Amino acid sequence: MSYLRRYADRTALVHLKDLRREDAGWRTVELGAGEVPLTAVVQAVPQGASLFYEQDQADGLASLRSSLAYLKTLG
């Protein structure tokens, strides 16, 4: 979060992903289902910056709906 605050004047977009440790690596999961402190990240996003969401491993629209519902809870 300190990086976002430090470079706020140069941050036009923030790319969101959530990750969870599985076996020997990491898996991309729906927003809010992983270990990334997304509430703190979203709060640190500079005003006027755009948020982009990506999920590599997904269950199609169900994953998208779940992640969007989570984002709505953040305000």
Side-chain angles (χ1 to χ4, degrees):
M1 281 48 78
S2 62
Y3 183 88
L4 285 172
R5 290 184 188 98
R6 183 179 202 183
Y7 297 104
D9 60 328
R10 299 192 297 183
T11 303
L13 64 94
V14 175
H15 181 152
L16 294 177
K17 276 191 176 185
D18 207 351
L19 302 168
R20 181 175 53 221
R21 287 184 199 121
E22 288 191 2
D23 300 319
W26 292 90
R27 177 176 169 78
T28 304
V29 295
E30 289 81 3
L31 297 180
E35 300 176 37
V36 176
L38 290 171
T39 300
V41 171
V42 170
Q43 289 174 349
V45 172
Q47 188 171 352
S50 297
L51 292 174
F52 288 83
Y53 156 65
E54 177 183 3
Q55 185 174 335
D56 300 325
Q57 297 105 1
D59 183 19
L61 288 176
S63 292
L64 177 62
R65 286 184 183 111
S66 173
S67 292
L68 290 177
Y70 174 77
L71 281 175
K72 288 179 182 178
T73 70
L74 301 181

